[in-house]
Amino acid sequence: MNRAFSPLFKSMLLALLAVSATASAVEAPKPAVKADAAKGAALYADGDAARGLPACVSCHGAAGNSTITVNPKLAGQHESYIYKQLVDFTTPQRNQPVMTTYAKMLSDADKKNIAAYLGTQLSKPGAAKNKDTIDLGKKIYRGGIASKQVAACASCHGATGNGIPVQYPRIAGQHQDYTVAQLTMFRSTKADARKNSAEMHTIAARMSDDEIAAVADYIAGLK
């Protein structure tokens, strides 16, 4: 009996294995597409006229070094953080008229490519400007405000403002005007509030305008 059915059994087993292997090949997930910094550089510098997408450089400066103080410096920013923000701009969590419009025009690959390009650029240093508030800004950045339960900025963004990828951005040398604007939006409860960080909302809500201005000025001088 065993000898009679053995060849048939072997044939069936081989067929089943072949089907199983084919199914596994079909179901295997595709590898993640690697970001292309060169494509990101081209899109950043030239935009895409066919889609009506302007060049990022027009607002954020050559290689991400913005000279417009209300627009952030992006050079050297963590790749993963930039990608997250571009995604957030397409959601109610970070609604900004200009960036929301353009972020929605970018494909997921575009977002990753631009982020990869900016992450490799060298950020030009900034400078603190207000000597009268530098000590207050330094105190807040390094030690927080204990009486208001405001944590030290350095505890998340690092002693030199280099941040932690994905979670906390690099903020060293950032324009004072931009930092003030973001902290104010984190603090806001209005429709234009920035809602993509519960931590920053809690911290900013406990800070006065003077404290925000002082720490923003100190951050601008970090290297």
Side-chain angles (χ1 to χ4, degrees), residues 6 24 55 66 71 97 102 106 116-117 136 142 162 170 195-196 219:
S6 181
S24 296
S66 167
N71 295 336
Y102 297 142
L106 296 171
Y117 164 68
L136 175 60
R142 295 188 176 184
N162 284 314
R170 183 184 189 280
K195 308 178 183 73
N196 66 338
I219 286 169

Side-chain angles (χ1 to χ4, degrees), residues 19 143 153:
V19 172
C153 310

Side-chain angles (χ1 to χ4, degrees), residues 68-112:
I68 303 171
T69 62
V70 294
N71 295 336
K73 294 180 181 180
L74 300 175
Q77 185 58 270
H78 303 304
E79 179 180 339
S80 51
Y81 183 81
I82 292 177
Y83 171 72
K84 180 183 182 300
Q85 297 310 304
L86 287 173
V87 172
D88 284 355
F89 276 124
T90 68
T91 75
Q93 295 300 102
R94 193 172 183 188
N95 186 16
Q96 201 275 344
V98 175
M99 284 305 305
T100 292
T101 298
Y102 297 142
K104 287 181 177 180
M105 295 169 69
L106 296 171
S107 68
D108 193 63
D110 289 336
K111 293 180 177 70
K112 290 178 179 176

Side-chain angles (χ1 to χ4, degrees), residues 150-204:
V150 171
C153 310
S155 62
C156 293
H157 295 284
T160 57
N162 284 314
I164 301 173
V166 183
Q167 291 178 294
Y168 307 112
R170 183 184 189 280
I171 57 176
Q174 189 57 266
H175 294 306
Q176 288 94 331
D177 290 344
Y178 179 76
T179 301
V180 168
Q182 296 310 300
L183 287 172
T184 301
M185 283 192 284
F186 274 126
R187 184 178 65 179
S188 176
T189 57
K190 297 180 181 179
D192 64 347
R194 185 172 168 180
K195 308 178 183 73
N196 66 338
S197 173
E199 291 173 280
M200 286 307 305
H201 170 71
T202 299
I203 291 169

Side-chain angles (χ1 to χ4, degrees), residues 120-144:
T120 63
Q121 303 310 296
L122 184 63
S123 179
K124 294 181 179 180
K129 299 176 181 178
N130 194 336
K131 294 180 180 179
D132 295 333
T133 66
I134 194 68
D135 287 339
L136 175 60
K138 180 178 180 180
K139 181 180 179 181
I140 294 171
Y141 189 88
R142 295 188 176 184

